[in-house]
Amino acid sequence: MKIKKYLPTILLIIAAAGLIVVGIALKQPQSVLEKAVKICMECIGIG
């Protein structure tokens, strides 16, 4: 009966992994990195 206890957690982890794979397939890590660099440059006054 331990499976029943952890089922929501397991499903959430599977859903998160699926969304991570979709994000990588859509080139989102590169987009996030570009936005982070722009924000960081604005914070220190270069961009």
Side-chain angles (χ1 to χ4, degrees):
M1 295 304 129
K2 286 189 178 188
I3 290 283
K4 212 173 206 180
K5 180 179 178 182
Y6 295 113
L7 187 62
T9 303
I10 293 169
L11 292 175
L12 205 65
I13 291 171
I14 292 170
L19 289 173
I20 289 170
V21 169
V22 169
I24 290 171
L26 294 175
K27 307 279 192 257
Q28 290 300 310
Q30 183 64 32
S31 172
V32 171
L33 178 63
E34 289 171 4
K35 290 175 185 176
V37 168
K38 286 179 185 176
I39 291 171
C40 188
M41 293 295 185
E42 289 176 6
C43 285
I44 59 175
I46 294 177

